[in-house]
Amino acid sequence: MRIALYGADGPAEFWTDGLRALWPQAEVAHWVPGSPPADYAVVWAPPQAFFDEQPGLKAVFNLGAGVDALLKLRIPPQTQLVRLDDAGMAVQMAEYVCHALIRHFRALDAYAADTHAGRWTQRPTRARADFPVGILGAGVLGQRVAQALRGFDFPVNVWSRQPKQLDGVRGFAGAAQLDDFLAASKGLVCLLPLTVDTENILNRRSLSRLQPGGYVVNVARGAHLVEADLLALLDSGHLAGATLDVFRNEPLPAAHPFWAHPKISITPHTSARTLREESLVQIAGKLQALLQGLPVAGMVERERGY
């Protein structure tokens, strides 16, 4: 069995040595043009040439949960695509989202500015019951974020393509319930996969349906957000602020208006980083299941985009 690697983060030896330790019978090598055919591949953002030269791949393991970039390539129909379920990302995402929402809810940014200016201030307290948080997406990451927010006693709503039952969480499903979900939420967290149906889903129409003074956290993909619509709703006062970790163009251009906007907090696509050690173990487990004909979590359905 031959495993090809492409675009894996970190030292090359970590991935080759790690996979060889988990699969001693496998030949593992980083792909370069002209490499011999492989049976399986572990990739992040490979070029089209990779698949053009590897038409016989049985399965490709994507080093991340999002596969939108991968699905833009021409990949043989018989090649199975497998994404990571978690690999240490879920707890990081829960940390990030809770931090962003609590920072806004507790006015910690305002306190930090007052402290910097030498002002001793007390701001009004807020009731958590008045700050319901809606999560777009109820996959592994969305469920972990919902659980974490419930731990801080925020009311939590979740919207997904198909109905899902989560303890202590109000569920909404399908296009028919999207408006009701938005109207029931003041905070909004986007954790959707990027598909033709979800591109531009954070637009003037949808964001206007949030309760007044809403707060937006986008940790999914930049193409979910219509940037001009967010800016307009922030400037009008309908939205109180936003924390953005993903953007249409990355790195975010220096002249982009998001940098200077007082109601926007920015981080450089770092809300949840794939952890290498956990990724190796997960990939090895998925490969073992594939070889044994067992069900494999994270199998990508190309027609739905994730």
Side-chain angles (χ1 to χ4, degrees):
M1 179 172 63
R2 178 177 173 82
I3 301 175
L5 293 166
Y6 185 88
D9 181 44
E13 295 78 11
F14 171 86
W15 295 96
T16 52
D17 294 350
L19 284 169
R20 287 168 186 154
L22 292 167
W23 285 93
Q25 69 273 40
E27 180 183 349
V28 184
H30 283 267
W31 178 84
V32 295
S35 293
D39 302 294
Y40 300 92
V42 177
V43 304
W44 180 252
Q48 181 60 52
F50 176 85
F51 291 102
D52 292 343
E53 291 193 10
Q54 298 288 330
L57 287 170
K58 299 174 184 176
V60 173
F61 299 91
N62 189 57
L63 286 170
V67 294
D68 47 287
L70 200 60
L71 292 177
K72 293 177 182 178
L73 302 177
R74 298 184 305 277
I75 302 173
Q78 74 276 9
T79 301
Q80 295 178 297
L81 304 180
V82 189
R83 55 180 169 78
L84 296 182
D85 304 310
D86 183 346
M89 291 182 285
V91 66
Q92 295 177 70
M93 192 64 80
E95 290 171 342
Y96 183 98
V97 170
C98 288
H99 177 271
L101 291 172
I102 291 170
R103 184 181 63 201
H104 166 70
F105 180 77
R106 294 289 305 274
L108 297 180
D109 277 345
Y111 280 120
D114 289 343
T115 300
H116 184 73
R119 293 189 299 265
W120 181 274
T121 57
Q122 290 287 331
R123 297 175 184 274
T125 58
R126 304 172 68 181
R128 282 171 173 76
D130 297 332
F131 194 80
V133 178
I135 302 171
L136 284 165
V140 172
L141 302 184
Q143 292 182 38
R144 183 66 178 85
V145 170
Q147 176 189 7
L149 288 168
R150 289 292 299 132
F152 288 105
D153 291 341
F154 288 104
V156 178
N157 306 315
V158 166
W159 182 86
S160 54
R161 192 172 63 93
Q162 299 293 335
K164 291 193 177 181
Q165 299 295 323
L166 304 177
D167 289 343
V169 174
R170 185 181 178 189
F172 298 80
Q177 294 187 345
L178 180 58
D179 283 353
D180 291 340
F181 161 81
L182 293 166
S185 306
K186 192 159 190 170
L188 181 67
V189 180
C190 184
L191 276 163
L192 291 168
L194 181 61
T195 69
V196 293
D197 294 324
T198 65
E199 186 173 0
N200 298 323
I201 194 171
L202 303 178
N203 54 49
R204 184 185 295 268
R205 181 186 180 281
S206 62
L207 297 178
S208 294
R209 279 166 165 71
L210 293 175
Q211 296 174 14
Y215 195 88
V216 176
V217 179
N218 188 16
V219 285
R221 287 291 186 266
H224 285 124
L225 175 65
V226 180
E227 297 177 347
D229 290 357
L230 174 68
L231 290 169
L233 290 170
L234 288 170
D235 292 342
S236 74
H238 180 72
L239 294 179
T243 292
L244 307 176
D245 186 56
V246 290
F247 308 91
R248 289 180 180 269
N249 296 303
E250 297 181 0
L252 189 65
H256 198 286
F258 283 173
W259 286 113
H261 201 287
K263 296 182 180 179
I264 295 178
S265 296
I266 288 171
T267 51
H269 204 144
T270 193
S271 56
R273 305 283 293 274
T274 302
L275 301 182
R276 295 196 294 267
E277 291 82 0
E278 295 190 26
S279 298
L280 271 178
V281 173
Q282 188 176 139
I283 289 168
K286 289 176 182 288
L287 179 55
Q288 180 69 47
L290 272 179
L291 293 174
Q292 294 179 346
L294 299 174
V296 179
M299 296 294 291
V300 175
E301 295 182 29
R302 300 195 202 187
E303 62 277 6
R304 73 177 186 179
Y306 60 94

